[in-house]
């Protein structure tokens, strides 16, 4: 099993090309099921989760051709299976996103209940509620969601909570439904807008994406299209937090700063100098950061996917920060590992009080989930001495060649296998 070996203390400087967003690419890959024509996607990140999604689609009969420069063409003209089995989806929650496309195009679907990171309960009841409102007959049998519908019908759907994957699933289901569907209390994340833009290129009629009220007028069929996946705001934010903690000057290319307002505001509050253009961000940190408090919230609030990384920065910041996690109930698993490095963090329910220390000390730590992995890498870059981050298969689910990108801007970081370590 691979590990990351980090010697902290190096300032980071240079250019980083931001990859395409995992959280946009996954629903977009599933959208290929909505048409018999070819969908060509650009800027698709090379990640383990993307590989899992492609294997799942391949099992269903979707043909995928990978070209140069992160391009993938998908064709679902000969779908042979309407089932997403447990063994294919247990490692990735986003697999539930095949449910809406299969049901709306083929009239039935059998999808295993998903797995993914152990950061808290993420039920799919809102997906089921919405599809049932559109006329689907849905049962939970032997760990599967089993859904049937002659043709989905437009409906007015208000979810009980803001749900990103729920909004995406219902959006994809609605584009081929008969009549108009209105999604109230819809999630507003940029990745949903990116999905909607692809669907519109395919012939869908969608208005209001990017707001909490999306209106979809169903069409009889969709056609092929070409689309570039939006830049990964979480990857970009992770590299900025790394520079904030370790110090340095970074230029992020192919970025989407207009999707990152809440995080950029907090980094400026921490003392980072931020400059932005249409597709680039420059972040400079010359001094010790100042502690900054946050409350995670649905977009456009501070993203839960950046809470752990900012916590790593706060661990060596001047002052005390209060960080409140409002999205997931089990997303402080990195706290114990940061404590092994000398961090001073007190937990009370959904609140973490982080008192900055002058320096962390390197240690062997274990990643527990995707974003926790990134926080431990950031801590290692800022720490004195040597840090080993174990179980980095979590990291590979959501960051493309992270150690290579960090090494290119001056980090002393290496990937090692157990054999090499021995």
């Amino acid at each position: 099993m691979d590990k990351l070996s980090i010697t902290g203390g190096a300032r980071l400087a240079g250019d980083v090309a931001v990859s395409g967003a995992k959280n946009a690419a996954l629903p977009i890959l599933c959208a290929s099921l909505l048409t018999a024509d070819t969908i060509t996607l650009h800027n698709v990140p090379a990640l383990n989760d993307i590989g899992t999604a492609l294997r799942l689609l391949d099992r269903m009969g979707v043909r995928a051709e990978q070209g140069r420069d992160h391009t993938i063409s998908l064709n679902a003209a000969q779908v042979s299976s309407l089932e997403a089995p447990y063994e294919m989806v247990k490692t990735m929650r986003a697999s539930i996103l095949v449910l809406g496309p299969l049901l709306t195009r083929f009239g039935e679907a059998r999808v295993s209940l998903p797995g993914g990171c152990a950061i808290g309960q993420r039920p799919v009841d809102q997906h089921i509620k919405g599809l049932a409102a559109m006329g689907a007959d849905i049962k939970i049998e032997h760990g599967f969601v089993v859904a049937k519908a002659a043709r989905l019908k437009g409906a007015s759907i208000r979810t009980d909570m803001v749900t990103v994957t729920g909004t995406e699933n219902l959006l994809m289901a609605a584009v081929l439904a008969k009549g108009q569907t209105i999604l109230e209390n819809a999630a507003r994340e940029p990745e949903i807008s990116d999905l909607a833009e692809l669907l519109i290129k395919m012939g869908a009629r969608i208005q209001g994406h990017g707001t909490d009220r999306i209106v979809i007028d169903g069409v009889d069929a969709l056609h092929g299209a070409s689309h570039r996946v939006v830049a990964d705001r979480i990857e970009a934010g992770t590299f900025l937090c790394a520079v904030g903690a370790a110090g340095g000057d970074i230029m992020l290319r192919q970025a989407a700063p207009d999707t990152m307002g809440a995080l950029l505001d907090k980094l400026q509050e921490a003392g980072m100098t931020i400059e932005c253009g249409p597709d680039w961000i420059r972040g400079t940190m010359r001094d010790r950061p100042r502690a900054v408090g946050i409350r995670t919230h649905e977009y456009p609030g501070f993203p839960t996917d950046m809470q752990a990384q900012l916590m790593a920065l706060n661990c060596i910041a001047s002052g005390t920060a209060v960080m409140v996690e409002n999205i997931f109930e089990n997303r402080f698993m990195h706290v114990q590992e940061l404590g092994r490095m000398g961090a001073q963090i007190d937990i009370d329910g959904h609140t973490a009080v982080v008192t900055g220390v002058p320096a962390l000390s390197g240690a062997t730590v274990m990643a527990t989930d995707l974003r926790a992995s990134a926080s431990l890498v950031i801590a290692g870059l800022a720490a004195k001495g040597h840090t080993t981050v174990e179980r980095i298969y979590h990291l590979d689910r959501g960051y493309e060649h992270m150690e290579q990108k960090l090494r290119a801007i001056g980090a002393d970081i290496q990937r090692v296998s157990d054999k090499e370590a021995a």
Side-chain angles (χ1 to χ4, degrees):
M1 191 176 296
D2 287 356
K3 306 173 183 179
L4 287 180
S5 175
I6 305 168
T7 300
R11 289 177 65 83
L12 306 177
D15 289 16
V16 171
V18 180
S19 299
K22 172 182 83 86
N23 290 340
L26 291 173
I28 282 173
L29 289 173
C30 295
S32 65
L33 290 164
L34 290 166
T35 178
D37 293 345
T38 298
I39 302 296
T40 301
L41 304 176
H42 306 279
N43 203 34
V44 181
L47 302 170
N48 285 356
D49 273 9
I50 298 298
T52 299
L54 290 173
R55 287 191 296 274
L56 174 60
L57 292 171
D58 177 73
R59 175 139 179 181
M60 293 177 174
V62 179
R63 297 201 319 273
E65 294 183 7
Q66 299 199 37
R68 295 180 179 179
D69 299 325
H70 297 82
T71 296
I72 298 177
S73 294
L74 300 139
N75 185 280
Q78 298 180 343
V79 170
S80 56
S81 172
L82 304 179
E83 176 177 308
Y86 176 70
E87 64 268 20
M88 294 294 295
V89 303
K90 62 183 179 181
T91 61
M92 189 182 68
R93 173 181 162 75
S95 58
I96 195 68
L97 289 168
V98 301
L99 177 61
L102 287 177
L103 182 60
T104 199
R105 182 176 165 207
F106 299 102
E108 60 182 292
R110 190 171 186 266
V111 179
S112 173
L113 291 169
C117 280
I119 58 174
Q121 294 297 314
R122 295 185 283 182
V124 298
D125 59 313
Q126 299 303 304
H127 306 233
I128 293 170
K129 171 186 173 182
L131 293 172
M134 298 170 73
D137 176 24
I138 302 181
K139 299 176 182 177
I140 306 296
E141 296 179 353
H142 309 294
F144 282 82
V145 179
V146 180
K148 294 183 178 181
R151 184 181 181 185
L152 294 177
K153 299 178 176 61
S156 181
I157 302 167
R158 173 180 288 274
T159 54
D160 297 335
M161 64 191 75
V162 177
T163 162
V164 174
T165 54
T167 299
E168 291 165 343
N169 232 341
L170 297 175
L171 174 61
M172 288 189 283
V175 294
L176 293 178
K178 183 177 181 180
Q180 185 177 85
T181 299
I182 300 174
L183 302 180
E184 302 274 10
N185 201 28
R188 296 181 281 172
E189 271 68 7
E191 295 79 15
I192 292 172
S193 295
D194 202 39
L195 171 63
E197 290 300 324
L198 166 66
L199 294 172
I200 290 169
K201 292 176 183 176
M202 295 168 65
R205 299 172 60 190
I206 303 170
Q207 299 179 60
H209 47 292
T211 77
D212 62 2
R213 186 177 188 271
I214 305 176
V215 180
I216 309 104
D217 290 297
V219 297
D220 291 334
L222 297 179
H223 52 72
S226 178
H227 183 75
R228 180 179 175 84
V229 176
V230 70
D232 194 327
R233 59 194 173 102
I234 305 303
E235 184 196 40
T238 298
F239 277 91
L240 288 172
C241 283
V243 170
D249 186 349
I250 191 172
M251 175 67 79
L252 297 173
R253 307 285 185 186
Q254 302 171 35
D258 58 335
T259 68
M260 297 174 59
L263 173 62
L264 296 181
D265 287 349
K266 286 298 177 181
L267 289 173
Q268 288 179 306
E269 188 180 330
M272 179 174 278
T273 300
I274 301 284
E275 301 173 76
C276 297
D279 60 356
W280 59 267
I281 305 169
R282 183 180 180 185
T284 307
M285 181 67 86
R286 295 183 175 86
D287 303 310
R288 183 183 180 188
R290 297 186 293 269
V292 287
I294 55 101
R295 300 176 68 90
T296 64
H297 204 275
E298 294 88 357
Y299 191 85
F302 190 91
T304 181
D305 278 355
M306 282 303 308
Q307 174 256 111
Q309 298 92 309
L310 190 68
M311 184 180 289
L313 182 151
N314 276 330
C315 286
I316 52 90
S318 174
T320 298
V322 177
M323 307 183 72
V324 182
E325 175 56 61
N326 290 313
I327 307 299
F328 295 123
E329 71 276 8
N330 196 27
R331 206 162 200 180
F332 284 148
M333 290 189 291
H334 47 282
V335 168
Q336 181 175 347
E337 300 303 301
L338 289 170
R340 289 175 49 79
M341 302 178 71
Q344 294 185 12
I345 308 169
D346 294 315
I347 301 294
D348 183 7
H350 292 273
T351 301
V353 179
V354 186
T355 301
V357 297
L360 297 173
S361 58
T364 297
V365 291
M366 182 178 68
T368 53
D369 62 72
L370 171 54
R371 305 308 173 184
S373 307
S375 76
L376 298 177
V377 171
I378 292 169
L381 293 171
K384 292 183 177 180
H386 181 261
T387 297
T388 299
V389 183
E390 298 184 338
R391 291 176 60 177
I392 60 166
Y393 58 84
H394 291 293
L395 195 75
D396 293 336
R397 289 185 50 227
Y399 291 94
E400 183 177 15
H401 309 309
M402 183 188 227
E403 75 280 5
Q404 295 179 25
K405 291 184 177 183
L406 285 169
R407 200 161 51 245
I409 58 173
D412 187 344
I413 180 171
Q414 301 289 334
R415 179 182 291 254
V416 295
S417 66
D418 283 335
K419 292 181 179 179
E420 291 172 321

